[in-house]
Amino acid sequence: MKSLGTILVDRGLITDQQLIDAETDRRASGRSLGRVLVERGIVTERDLVAALAAQIGMDFVDLSTAEIDPQAATSVGKSTLLKHQLLPIGYEEGKLLVAMADPANVVAMDDVRTITKLEVRPVVATREDILAAIGRTSAMAQDIEAAAGDLADESDQLSDLSELKAVTEEAPVVKFVNLLISQAVADGVSDIHIEPGERELRVRYRIDGVLHEVMRSPKSIQAGVISRLKIMADVDIAERRIPQDGRIGVTVHGKDIDLRFSTLPTVYGEKVVMRILDKSSVLLELEDLGFLDHNHQRFESAYVKPYGMTLVTGPTGSGKSTTLYAALNVLNQPEVNIITTEDPVEYRLPGINQVQVRPKVGLTFAHALRSILRQDPDVVMVGEMRDRETAQIGIEAALTGHLVLSTLHTNDAPSAVTRLTEMGVEPFLVASAVDCVLAQRLARRVCSRCMQLRVPEPGVLEEAGFSEEVIARAPEIPHPIGCPACSSTGYRGRLAVHEVMLMNEDIERLVVTRASSEEIATAAISAGMRTLRQDGLAKVLLGRTTIEEIARVII
């Protein structure tokens, strides 16, 4: 085992002469070498603890900069954290990662193991950093409740708009709203729902596609909270009769976050929904979206073409825009002119010209698309093919040397081409212009920290639709359990399930003759298309999700 002094010298934190001088002081004073070095200001407390951790073969974590998993941090009560001076900071290979000032404290580890029902892997941190991190992480939920209480006290006497505007600038409402957004970002929330009831205000977070109620507050805070959000979104604070849309920009934990803000008048007041748009998500590559190699290669073969139309289909909230943005990131080069028309523009992409549709002033998708085609584009992305006029212009653009990317609302890939013909586009134009249709859904990813691999009961694989070959070998598949990491749901995060249909002569012929989507699907499968269910079941076998989840999202 290396000595502490040798480790510090090897790391370049002290010189040989400083080590000799410190050793002399240590022998004269009876203090430890580390303490002498810290008191002399030669090394910091963090450097010393990191070196001591290396000496005993343990990892060191700097909690002042480390990202702490809020679910892990709150899995143990504050009293236990303070008693043992430790903090759970994340999960690793099914174990709870715990930062400890004294990693030799087996009693502390036993307590954490008993509370969380998880195996513990200790890492080393300074005592001061642990106490500071405990204060930060445990304060959030208490602060939200306290802010709601303070706001309720101040809101009881609101009588007119001028008083309401004054309240929206005061500390309690500002603190409550900021904490609500910060907690949502920390928890990986996609949407915040603020819903007025007859006697209370309910707040729900959508996590991994499922809504979770997080709090109910007194009805009296409703006006102040909603008005504060309206001011942040720059919409009319006095208008409560019609829906309004806006955008809020905030910085949370050093990250720039945009929120798409929407109000809807209900019988008990205005309901607010905020979609959290994390700008880092648009930097994803297609590999990050859960594409299997087969579908990735088929999809890539379409969007790298210099012309033609590629469609992404699926219901609202299925990740269509994220997939198109990932494709645009690949195509975004200095020599390529990319223009998009969207409603709304959810993410700002550097190097790409983005147009916000404004129907109130006549700037519809069709109008914007006509103007875009006069701007010498190489690649055009249309947010959605909503009507015949937009589809017709998009089809013509694809046939005249432009690469057109767009979305449609259909249940599967074969239905997309029949949907275009139903809109009134001539079938021969659809057959000539469309190169690829990608259908997708979002399924919850099974929690890797608590899931168990089990051989399912007889008949389960057959009912799910697995092939006879798979059924014969009786594979182990994921089974969700639930743990603090996934809020006891058994799932954490999401992945996309895909279906990629490439056009060929047989499919084009069927489109021209107005064949049904079932006939087109049969031809596409014969040509190598894997259905949504097949792709989902393949991801079950890879241990990424469960049969139950695939059944939930795919009919």
Side-chain angles (χ1 to χ4, degrees):
M1 180 188 293
K2 287 186 177 181
S3 67
L4 175 63
T6 302
I7 293 173
L8 291 170
V9 171
D10 289 347
R11 293 187 172 196
L13 297 172
I14 63 173
T15 64
D16 289 330
Q17 186 58 51
Q18 287 174 324
L19 176 58
I20 293 170
D21 294 343
E23 283 286 4
T24 302
D25 193 351
R26 179 189 66 79
R27 287 192 292 270
S29 65
R31 292 172 297 168
S32 68
L33 175 64
R35 193 48 47 200
V36 169
L37 291 169
V38 171
E39 290 176 357
R40 285 189 170 195
I42 299 173
V43 298
T44 65
E45 189 75 30
R46 286 196 186 98
D47 290 336
L48 175 61
V49 174
L52 289 169
Q55 189 180 26
I56 61 176
M58 297 191 70
D59 293 333
F60 171 79
V61 175
D62 183 353
L63 293 182
S64 65
T65 58
E67 185 174 340
I68 299 173
D69 188 324
Q71 292 177 320
T74 55
S75 63
V76 177
K78 186 176 181 180
S79 60
T80 303
L81 302 181
L82 293 174
K83 175 184 176 182
H84 296 303
Q85 296 181 348
L86 56 82
L87 180 68
I89 60 172
Y91 302 88
E92 186 178 275
E93 297 178 353
K95 295 182 179 180
L96 185 65
L97 211 59
V98 180
M100 304 179 68
D102 179 12
N105 188 343
V106 293
V107 174
M109 286 192 282
D110 284 342
D111 284 353
V112 173
R113 192 179 296 112
T114 300
I115 292 169
T116 63
K117 304 294 190 298
L118 292 172
E119 285 300 312
V120 172
R121 185 170 91 77
V123 294
V124 182
T126 68
R127 196 178 311 276
E128 291 75 12
D129 282 352
I130 288 174
L131 294 175
I134 290 172
R136 291 195 305 270
T137 56
S138 62
M140 184 68 76
Q142 296 174 1
D143 284 349
I144 289 179
E145 288 187 15
D150 293 342
L151 180 56
D153 293 340
E154 293 202 6
S155 301
D156 283 335
Q157 307 303 319
L158 293 180
S159 59
D160 58 34
L161 186 60
S162 61
E163 289 183 6
L164 187 57
K165 286 183 177 179
V167 166
T168 61
E169 300 300 328
E170 293 179 0
V173 67
V174 172
K175 184 177 181 181
F176 177 80
V177 169
N178 290 347
L179 288 171
L180 208 60
I181 295 172
S182 298
Q183 185 65 52
V185 173
D187 289 348
V189 171
S190 62
D191 300 86
I192 304 172
H193 290 242
I194 300 175
E195 302 168 323
E198 185 177 4
R199 297 184 178 85
E200 58 196 356
L201 185 70
R202 180 172 67 165
V203 178
R204 293 193 290 173
Y205 289 164
R206 187 177 293 280
I207 304 174
D208 295 337
V210 179
L211 280 170
H212 301 269
E213 184 174 312
V214 293
M215 68 179 299
R216 290 177 181 260
S217 296
K219 179 80 171 176
S220 55
I221 77 170
Q222 177 178 317
V225 170
I226 293 175
S227 296
R228 171 63 185 171
L229 290 169
K230 282 184 169 183
I231 289 173
M232 294 173 69
D234 194 25
V235 301
D236 188 353
I237 187 176
E239 180 56 74
R240 301 173 184 173
R241 300 166 299 172
I242 59 174
Q244 297 189 79
D245 297 311
R247 197 179 186 96
I248 299 174
V250 295
T251 301
V252 180
H253 308 311
K255 292 168 60 177
D256 290 333
I257 303 291
D258 281 348
L259 295 100
R260 195 175 74 195
F261 173 90
S262 173
T263 68
L264 180 69
T266 72
V267 292
Y268 295 120
E270 290 175 287
K271 171 182 167 67
V272 171
V273 174
M274 291 179 287
R275 165 71 54 88
I276 297 177
L277 306 172
D278 184 354
K279 295 178 182 178
S280 63
S281 67
V282 300
L283 302 178
L284 292 174
E285 297 182 358
L286 286 168
E287 292 84 350
D288 302 324
L289 302 180
F291 274 92
L292 298 182
D293 288 342
H294 175 79
N295 281 335
H296 184 208
Q297 291 168 8
R298 288 167 64 85
F299 182 51
E300 186 178 42
S301 69
Y303 71 75
V304 296
K305 290 182 178 180
Y307 57 85
M309 176 177 283
T310 294
L311 297 171
V312 180
T313 77
T316 301
S318 60
K320 299 187 297 296
S321 296
T322 301
T323 298
L324 287 180
Y325 284 138
L328 289 179
N329 283 332
V330 177
L331 299 170
N332 190 9
Q333 304 295 331
E335 63 273 16
V336 179
N337 180 21
I338 302 176
I339 308 180
T340 75
T341 175
E342 306 168 60
D343 184 21
V345 175
E346 294 189 348
Y347 300 98
R348 271 73 168 183
L349 302 175
I352 293 178
N353 307 283
Q354 296 173 271
V355 178
Q356 169 70 58
V357 171
R358 300 184 187 278
K360 290 183 180 178
V361 296
L363 185 58
T364 61
F365 274 119
H367 190 186
L369 189 51
R370 280 200 199 90
S371 299
I372 286 171
L373 295 177
R374 293 193 287 270
Q375 292 284 314
D376 185 31
D378 298 299
V379 180
V380 178
M381 188 189 95
V382 183
E384 183 183 345
M385 293 291 180
R386 291 183 178 174
D387 51 54
R388 179 188 177 280
E389 188 178 11
T390 306
Q392 185 76 36
I393 299 170
I395 291 283
E396 291 172 0
L399 291 172
T400 53
H402 303 89
L403 177 61
V404 179
L405 309 176
S406 189
T407 70
L408 265 179
H409 287 278
T410 62
N411 290 327
D412 55 20
S415 299
V417 289
T418 56
R419 175 81 180 101
L420 289 174
T421 58
E422 288 168 359
M423 283 182 177
V425 181
E426 290 296 334
F428 72 90
L429 292 177
V430 174
S432 302
V434 177
D435 284 327
C436 172
V437 183
L438 165 68
Q440 79 175 43
R441 299 286 190 280
L442 288 181
R444 288 181 294 173
R445 190 186 295 270
V446 69
C447 177
S448 60
R449 299 179 178 100
C450 66
M451 72 95 168
Q452 294 180 358
L453 292 175
R454 300 177 184 173
V455 176
E457 295 292 327
V460 171
L461 295 178
E462 184 178 0
E463 184 179 347
F466 283 99
S467 67
E468 292 183 3
E469 179 185 353
V470 172
I471 295 171
R473 60 186 173 91
E476 292 184 328
I477 60 174
H479 181 76
I481 301 299
C483 67
C486 58
S487 301
S488 300
T489 63
Y491 298 93
R492 191 179 191 197
R494 289 195 286 179
L495 79 164
V497 180
H498 304 101
E499 174 179 281
V500 183
M501 184 181 79
L502 295 179
M503 297 292 282
N504 60 22
E505 289 184 5
D506 291 338
I507 297 175
E508 288 176 6
R509 194 177 301 112
L510 289 170
V511 173
V512 170
T513 58
R514 297 182 182 270
S516 67
S517 58
E518 288 80 10
E519 293 174 281
I520 295 172
T522 301
I525 292 170
S526 299
M529 182 184 82
R530 294 179 182 171
T531 65
L532 286 165
R533 179 171 290 277
Q534 289 173 331
D535 189 60
L537 295 180
K539 286 166 182 172
V540 171
L541 293 177
L542 290 171
R544 300 180 185 178
T545 187
T546 65
I547 289 177
E548 294 81 8
E549 186 62 12
I550 295 302
R552 184 182 71 87
V553 300
I554 300 171
I555 300 174

